Amino acid sequence: MSGDFDALCCREPQSCADRYHDYIVKSLIAGMIRKDIYREIIKQGYPGKMTAAYDYMNKLIQNQGIEIAVYRSSSIEAIERKKQLNKFDHLSRREIFRFLWMNEDILPKHRDYLMVNYPIIWELYKCVKEFRRVFKEKSLPQLYLFIDRYKESELKPLAIFATGLEKDLEAVENAVMSDLSNGFVEGFNNKLKMIKRTMYGRCGQKLLTAKLMYDPHSKSG
């Protein structure tokens, strides 16, 4: 016999993931993340633990030099559909949302297509613009017109929104006209609740009080 003695005698143990080798490699190359691949091979009958599956995939990634997509999470079929979709002129839901809410530009032809074929988007677009104008110009008459117009809207969510503004009109008027905001109070209240949740089951009332209440004599204060 010839060859390296250690290599001949030290046989690497078989992994129960070997039967899924081709599928795993194909999925990694396609861009699936390891968590999704693990879920898929579980459905196919993989009997091992997650740690063993991850170790197996990490070895494949290292040995075959596979570039993995860290944040991509989708099936091979979904990834292929997305690749096919990219060949066509299209708008994603994310782009439409950012156009409506973040006022990001889209191509004029896309905008015209949306306005002609999806009147509901045009209605939402006008609603967002008008509501922002109320606060930008601090105009109560525009607020009243906004409520009157949209509480009769055929779009139920807009009608509910406008009706809610009318029910709490005094607070909304103050929000429009005043430069004051309770944002600081709400933020601090959220901070206190976070501390309370993180300490749940770990301490008594005395320690919780010490963490929440301001002490002007403390060194950190």
XYZ file of all heavy atoms in Angstrom, residues 121-172:
445
model
N -54.226 54.684 -4.748
C -52.899 55.206 -4.414
C -52.883 56.724 -4.548
O -52.274 57.430 -3.739
C -51.824 54.548 -5.306
C -51.702 53.064 -4.955
C -50.476 55.247 -5.156
C -50.638 52.324 -5.734
N -53.564 57.229 -5.565
C -53.656 58.679 -5.727
C -54.388 59.305 -4.545
O -54.021 60.377 -4.051
C -54.359 59.002 -7.033
C -54.593 60.459 -7.282
C -55.782 61.081 -7.457
C -53.595 61.480 -7.385
N -55.599 62.425 -7.662
C -54.264 62.702 -7.621
C -52.203 61.483 -7.296
C -53.598 63.906 -7.768
C -51.528 62.688 -7.443
C -52.222 63.881 -7.680
N -55.435 58.631 -4.062
C -56.185 59.117 -2.900
C -55.293 59.157 -1.660
O -55.296 60.130 -0.898
C -57.385 58.205 -2.657
C -58.293 58.637 -1.518
C -59.249 59.743 -1.917
O -59.256 60.128 -3.097
O -59.978 60.224 -1.032
N -54.509 58.110 -1.460
C -53.591 58.074 -0.320
C -52.516 59.145 -0.445
O -52.137 59.783 0.541
C -52.940 56.686 -0.225
C -53.852 55.528 0.168
C -53.112 54.201 0.018
C -54.348 55.690 1.599
N -52.032 59.334 -1.652
C -50.989 60.330 -1.902
C -51.485 61.730 -1.528
O -50.801 62.495 -0.845
C -50.587 60.276 -3.376
C -49.508 61.250 -3.769
C -48.173 60.999 -3.462
C -49.820 62.421 -4.464
C -47.175 61.891 -3.833
C -48.829 63.316 -4.835
C -47.512 63.045 -4.516
O -46.527 63.927 -4.872
N -52.689 62.068 -1.965
C -53.261 63.379 -1.646
C -53.496 63.525 -0.143
O -53.261 64.594 0.426
C -54.579 63.574 -2.403
C -54.428 63.726 -3.902
C -55.733 64.194 -4.531
C -56.843 63.190 -4.307
N -58.118 63.626 -4.934
N -53.954 62.459 0.490
C -54.237 62.499 1.925
C -52.973 62.798 2.723
O -52.969 63.658 3.615
C -54.847 61.169 2.364
S -55.191 61.066 4.132
N -51.894 62.103 2.418
C -50.631 62.315 3.132
C -50.134 63.744 2.927
O -49.703 64.418 3.876
C -49.566 61.297 2.658
C -48.202 61.636 3.238
C -49.970 59.885 3.055
N -50.201 64.231 1.681
C -49.739 65.586 1.375
C -50.546 66.631 2.149
O -49.993 67.572 2.735
C -49.867 65.841 -0.128
C -48.857 65.099 -0.988
C -47.487 65.716 -0.866
C -46.518 65.101 -1.852
N -45.152 65.652 -1.719
N -51.866 66.474 2.148
C -52.726 67.459 2.799
C -52.543 67.445 4.315
O -52.537 68.504 4.956
C -54.184 67.187 2.440
C -54.508 67.467 0.981
C -55.925 67.073 0.617
O -56.737 66.883 1.551
O -56.222 66.937 -0.583
N -52.381 66.266 4.883
C -52.214 66.178 6.335
C -50.889 66.808 6.764
O -50.818 67.495 7.791
C -52.281 64.716 6.770
C -52.415 64.543 8.257
C -53.539 64.997 8.921
C -51.415 63.923 8.987
C -53.671 64.842 10.297
C -51.534 63.765 10.357
C -52.663 64.220 11.017
N -49.857 66.603 5.989
C -48.569 67.218 6.320
C -48.624 68.733 6.163
O -47.988 69.464 6.922
C -47.475 66.625 5.429
C -47.054 65.234 5.864
C -45.937 64.696 5.022
N -45.400 63.471 5.598
C -44.567 62.658 4.981
N -44.160 62.944 3.758
N -44.121 61.571 5.573
N -49.387 69.194 5.188
C -49.508 70.632 4.980
C -50.184 71.302 6.175
O -49.851 72.436 6.545
C -50.292 70.920 3.703
C -50.251 72.394 3.291
C -51.068 72.662 2.036
N -50.616 71.826 0.947
C -51.383 70.925 0.329
N -52.636 70.741 0.724
N -50.907 70.213 -0.663
N -51.133 70.609 6.791
C -51.807 71.148 7.978
C -50.791 71.493 9.054
O -50.829 72.578 9.654
C -52.837 70.125 8.518
C -53.345 70.550 9.889
C -54.002 69.968 7.554
N -49.847 70.587 9.308
C -48.863 70.809 10.370
C -47.767 71.774 9.928
O -47.253 72.551 10.735
C -48.251 69.473 10.791
C -49.150 68.662 11.670
C -50.101 67.818 11.117
C -49.074 68.754 13.048
C -50.942 67.073 11.924
C -49.912 68.017 13.868
C -50.855 67.171 13.304
N -47.421 71.718 8.661
C -46.364 72.607 8.175
C -46.803 74.064 8.234
O -46.027 74.952 8.620
C -45.995 72.230 6.735
C -44.842 73.036 6.171
C -44.480 72.570 4.768
C -43.304 73.371 4.215
N -42.928 72.916 2.840
N -48.046 74.327 7.869
C -48.555 75.696 7.843
C -49.291 76.068 9.128
O -49.764 77.204 9.256
C -49.477 75.869 6.633
C -48.772 75.624 5.303
C -49.691 75.801 4.109
O -50.856 76.225 4.312
O -49.248 75.527 2.976
N -49.427 75.103 10.050
C -50.121 75.324 11.325
C -51.487 75.967 11.092
O -51.833 76.999 11.678
C -49.269 76.194 12.255
C -47.952 75.552 12.660
C -47.208 76.408 13.661
C -45.904 75.760 14.086
N -46.105 74.464 14.752
N -52.243 75.330 10.226
C -53.518 75.901 9.799
C -54.690 75.077 10.330
O -54.905 73.937 9.890
C -53.573 75.961 8.269
O -54.846 76.352 7.828
N -55.453 75.651 11.257
C -56.642 74.966 11.766
C -57.748 74.873 10.715
O -58.424 73.836 10.629
C -57.158 75.676 13.019
C -56.272 75.544 14.269
C -56.900 76.282 15.441
C -56.045 74.082 14.625
N -57.973 75.915 9.897
C -58.995 75.761 8.840
C -58.706 74.585 7.914
O -59.626 73.857 7.524
C -58.919 77.100 8.092
C -58.450 78.072 9.117
C -57.475 77.307 9.961
N -57.437 74.396 7.567
C -57.096 73.256 6.714
C -57.336 71.939 7.444
O -57.710 70.937 6.820
C -55.634 73.350 6.272
C -55.370 74.437 5.251
C -53.980 74.351 4.657
O -53.472 73.257 4.419
N -53.362 75.496 4.409
N -57.130 71.935 8.757
C -57.412 70.733 9.540
C -58.893 70.392 9.482
O -59.265 69.232 9.260
C -56.982 70.943 10.996
C -57.389 69.838 11.976
C -56.697 68.521 11.637
C -57.084 70.254 13.419
N -59.747 71.406 9.659
C -61.191 71.165 9.630
C -61.634 70.678 8.248
O -62.478 69.777 8.139
C -61.947 72.448 10.002
C -61.538 73.035 11.330
C -61.486 74.422 11.521
C -61.190 72.210 12.400
C -61.112 74.964 12.734
C -60.806 72.751 13.625
C -60.758 74.128 13.782
O -60.376 74.661 14.981
N -61.065 71.275 7.204
C -61.397 70.841 5.848
C -60.933 69.402 5.603
O -61.626 68.612 4.953
C -60.747 71.781 4.823
C -61.333 73.190 4.724
C -60.485 74.051 3.794
C -62.777 73.134 4.225
N -59.757 69.086 6.137
C -59.225 67.730 5.989
C -60.164 66.713 6.628
O -60.487 65.674 6.028
C -57.838 67.652 6.633
C -57.212 66.287 6.585
C -56.420 65.905 5.511
C -57.424 65.364 7.607
C -55.847 64.640 5.459
C -56.858 64.102 7.567
C -56.071 63.740 6.487
N -60.614 67.015 7.838
C -61.509 66.087 8.546
C -62.826 65.934 7.799
O -63.318 64.813 7.597
C -61.744 66.581 9.989
C -60.445 66.485 10.796
C -62.845 65.762 10.653
C -60.540 67.088 12.186
N -63.413 67.060 7.374
C -64.699 67.005 6.663
C -64.584 66.221 5.361
O -65.497 65.481 4.988
C -65.198 68.426 6.372
C -65.640 69.143 7.639
O -65.920 68.448 8.639
O -65.680 70.391 7.630
N -63.460 66.387 4.679
C -63.295 65.722 3.389
C -63.112 64.216 3.550
O -63.746 63.422 2.858
C -62.101 66.323 2.648
C -61.865 65.693 1.267
C -60.647 66.304 0.579
N -60.797 67.731 0.378
C -60.036 68.654 0.957
N -59.072 68.292 1.784
N -60.226 69.927 0.714
N -62.261 63.820 4.477
C -61.871 62.409 4.527
C -62.742 61.549 5.434
O -62.690 60.328 5.337
C -60.400 62.289 4.926
C -59.483 62.688 3.800
C -58.876 63.942 3.782
C -59.262 61.835 2.728
C -58.050 64.322 2.736
C -58.440 62.204 1.675
C -57.845 63.449 1.684
O -57.047 63.821 0.637
N -63.558 62.161 6.275
C -64.453 61.305 7.064
C -65.592 60.763 6.202
O -66.296 59.841 6.606
C -65.001 62.067 8.270
C -65.996 63.152 7.963
C -66.463 63.813 9.253
C -67.490 64.900 8.985
N -67.925 65.547 10.256
N -65.740 61.330 5.001
C -66.713 60.822 4.034
C -66.036 60.007 2.934
O -66.668 59.663 1.938
C -67.476 61.992 3.397
C -68.192 62.895 4.386
C -69.274 62.167 5.158
O -69.807 61.171 4.612
O -69.589 62.582 6.286
N -64.759 59.707 3.120
C -64.015 58.977 2.095
C -64.565 57.567 1.911
O -65.038 56.927 2.859
C -62.532 58.903 2.480
O -61.821 58.075 1.585
N -64.496 57.094 0.669
C -64.921 55.725 0.389
C -63.908 54.707 0.906
O -64.228 53.522 1.029
C -65.111 55.540 -1.118
C -66.244 56.383 -1.692
C -66.417 56.167 -3.178
O -65.646 55.358 -3.743
O -67.317 56.792 -3.777
N -62.694 55.176 1.181
C -61.682 54.299 1.775
C -61.922 54.253 3.283
O -61.732 55.252 3.981
C -60.275 54.815 1.479
C -59.864 54.856 0.007
C -58.450 55.399 -0.132
C -59.950 53.468 -0.599
N -62.333 53.118 3.771
C -62.719 53.000 5.176
C -61.604 53.399 6.142
O -61.866 54.101 7.128
C -63.183 51.566 5.458
C -63.786 51.383 6.842
C -64.331 49.978 7.021
C -64.928 49.808 8.412
N -65.459 48.431 8.606
N -60.345 52.983 5.921
C -59.280 53.385 6.857
C -59.118 54.901 6.957
O -58.879 55.432 8.043
C -58.024 52.725 6.276
C -58.539 51.549 5.511
C -59.835 52.018 4.928
N -59.262 55.613 5.827
C -59.149 57.070 5.859
C -60.329 57.683 6.599
O -60.167 58.652 7.356
C -59.076 57.627 4.434
C -57.822 57.286 3.623
C -57.852 58.023 2.288
C -56.562 57.635 4.393
N -61.511 57.131 6.389
C -62.695 57.642 7.080
C -62.571 57.439 8.590
O -62.914 58.328 9.381
C -63.945 56.938 6.546
N -62.063 56.283 8.994
C -61.871 56.008 10.425
C -60.833 56.960 11.013
O -60.993 57.477 12.126
C -61.442 54.542 10.627
C -62.588 53.599 10.241
C -61.014 54.293 12.063
C -62.204 52.135 10.262
N -59.763 57.206 10.262
C -58.715 58.116 10.722
C -59.266 59.526 10.929
O -59.038 60.158 11.970
C -57.576 58.131 9.705
C -56.496 59.132 10.004
C -55.712 59.017 11.142
C -56.271 60.198 9.145
C -54.716 59.942 11.425
C -55.277 61.124 9.418
C -54.498 61.001 10.560
N -60.008 60.025 9.951
C -60.562 61.379 10.050
C -61.578 61.478 11.187
O -61.619 62.478 11.915
C -61.212 61.770 8.726
N -62.390 60.447 11.362
C -63.364 60.439 12.456
C -62.661 60.452 13.811
O -63.097 61.121 14.752
C -64.276 59.203 12.349
O -64.925 59.199 11.082
C -65.323 59.206 13.446
N -61.553 59.725 13.900
C -60.774 59.725 15.142
C -60.194 61.092 15.449
O -60.152 61.515 16.619
N -59.750 61.810 14.414
C -59.249 63.171 14.619
C -60.355 64.078 15.152
O -60.124 64.907 16.041
C -58.714 63.738 13.297
C -57.460 63.089 12.707
C -57.122 63.743 11.373
C -56.277 63.209 13.655
N -61.543 63.908 14.608
C -62.671 64.745 15.029
C -63.058 64.469 16.478
O -63.395 65.395 17.229
C -63.861 64.495 14.105
C -65.022 65.444 14.328
C -66.123 65.225 13.316
O -66.427 64.044 13.021
O -66.679 66.218 12.810
N -63.000 63.216 16.895
C -63.362 62.862 18.267
C -62.381 63.447 19.282
O -62.754 63.752 20.413
C -63.420 61.343 18.414
C -64.603 60.693 17.711
C -64.592 59.187 17.911
C -65.788 58.536 17.226
N -65.779 57.052 17.380
N -61.130 63.585 18.881
C -60.103 64.110 19.787
C -59.609 65.458 19.270
O -58.414 65.752 19.276
C -58.949 63.114 19.877
C -58.147 63.276 21.163
O -58.621 63.989 22.068
O -57.052 62.698 21.251
N -60.552 66.286 18.835
C -60.220 67.501 18.094
C -59.375 68.480 18.903
O -58.433 69.082 18.374
C -61.506 68.185 17.626
C -61.319 69.393 16.702
C -60.550 68.993 15.450
C -62.669 69.989 16.326
N -59.679 68.643 20.176
C -58.940 69.622 20.983
C -57.453 69.279 21.054
O -56.587 70.152 20.900
C -59.524 69.695 22.392
C -58.855 70.761 23.263
C -59.463 70.841 24.651
O -60.453 70.116 24.915
O -58.950 71.623 25.472
N -57.156 68.010 21.268
C -55.750 67.587 21.336
C -55.065 67.761 19.985
O -53.900 68.178 19.916
C -55.670 66.134 21.790
N -55.796 67.470 18.907
C -55.218 67.608 17.567
C -54.960 69.080 17.259
O -53.922 69.442 16.688
C -56.151 66.987 16.505
C -55.572 67.190 15.109
C -56.353 65.505 16.775
